[in-house]
Amino acid sequence: MGLGASGGSGSPGGFFALRTTAPATGGAHRPLALLYAGEDGPLTVRVDHVATRLGVPERRVGASVAHLGLAARLWSVALGPAALHGRFPALDPAELFWDGAAVSPDDLWWAGSATRPATVAELRAAVQEAHLVPLHEALRRDGNVSPRLLWGNAGSALAGALRELTRWARAHGRPEAAERAAVLVSGLLDHPDLAGTVRGPRLRRTSCCLYYRAPGGGLCGDCVFDHAPRTGLEARPPAP
């Protein structure tokens, strides 16, 4: 399996796992660099699949949920080793293969070997600039998805990775890893694209991912709303 194999006490879990060998079951993995360069077919299929599974007629809902999942994977496979080991996989888009039909940890396969030091600048360059910016452009080619929603998802995904990593680190006697992760995430959230996407000590998001629009979707744990907008009730006050 390679880095951060899922399962057992030695790993925070599947979202943090990153294959370093091709999956034995095969699959349709393609370098993310091709997607970013305009090969949108796999992303279109992924969005269609998510929208169908959710039972939503609005394509942007499927696009948002699909994006949230991939953004969470990208942040997790970088932040986990950065916090635990002080370095993380370089994640060059030409060496990071993705299969939109698979789920974590089988969706990502890293064919590289280079690592980067665990700094805010390196994480931003490796994930935000090399992946999220072109991924957002690809999703906007695919349909009507607002930049605010996408960056809100990116901030929420980063905060979610921090929460899960913090929980695991504290449970396994690695408080220094939790502290390192918090410092790194704080620095990442200081960027103009991510600033204000989450707020307060619980890092509650300030925009909505639209999941509530799916039949029976409800609200996410960090949702900006107290009640789904369809109820007519107002959003709860901003977190302090």
Side-chain angles (χ1 to χ4, degrees):
M1 176 73 74
L3 296 175
S6 61
S9 62
S11 165
F15 260 71
F16 293 83
L18 181 60
R19 285 190 170 276
T20 54
T21 58
T25 55
H29 290 79
R30 302 283 287 168
L32 280 167
L34 295 181
L35 167 63
Y36 303 154
E39 189 180 289
D40 296 334
L43 182 63
T44 299
V45 170
R46 177 63 178 169
V47 172
D48 287 341
H49 172 75
V50 173
T52 298
R53 178 169 54 82
L54 293 176
V56 290
E58 295 176 277
R59 185 173 179 77
R60 65 189 182 120
V61 179
S64 174
V65 174
H67 168 258
L68 187 56
L70 182 52
R73 287 287 281 133
L74 292 167
W75 280 128
S76 296
V77 298
L79 183 65
L84 292 170
H85 308 297
R87 298 191 70 86
F88 66 96
L91 302 179
D92 186 317
E95 299 175 334
L96 189 61
F97 291 69
W98 176 64
D99 180 359
V103 296
S104 61
D106 291 335
D107 58 335
L108 292 180
W109 158 37
W110 181 50
S113 59
T115 62
R116 305 176 76 148
T119 68
V120 170
E122 292 287 335
L123 282 165
R124 179 173 292 127
V127 179
Q128 182 176 338
E129 296 172 3
H131 286 279
L132 295 181
V133 169
L135 175 60
H136 292 184
E137 293 173 357
L139 280 160
R140 298 197 72 198
R141 289 194 302 267
D142 181 80
N144 182 27
V145 186
S146 77
R148 183 171 184 267
L149 183 152
L150 293 174
W151 284 116
N153 281 355
S156 174
L158 177 58
L162 173 63
R163 279 191 289 269
E164 184 61 21
L165 186 57
T166 299
R167 181 199 64 77
W168 181 92
R170 290 176 175 169
H172 291 84
R174 294 292 305 275
E176 81 291 347
E179 293 171 5
R180 186 181 298 122
V183 170
L184 291 170
V185 170
S186 178
L188 289 165
L189 290 173
D190 196 39
H191 187 276
D193 286 334
L194 292 168
T197 57
V198 295
R199 186 177 300 163
R202 295 187 178 180
L203 298 179
R204 182 175 176 178
R205 66 181 296 160
T206 58
S207 63
C208 180
C209 72
L210 305 179
Y211 179 62
Y212 77 91
R213 300 180 75 85
L219 303 179
C220 302
D222 65 343
C223 187
V224 66
F225 296 114
D226 251 340
H227 305 275
R230 70 181 70 173
T231 66
L233 298 177
E234 298 296 325
R236 52 186 162 184

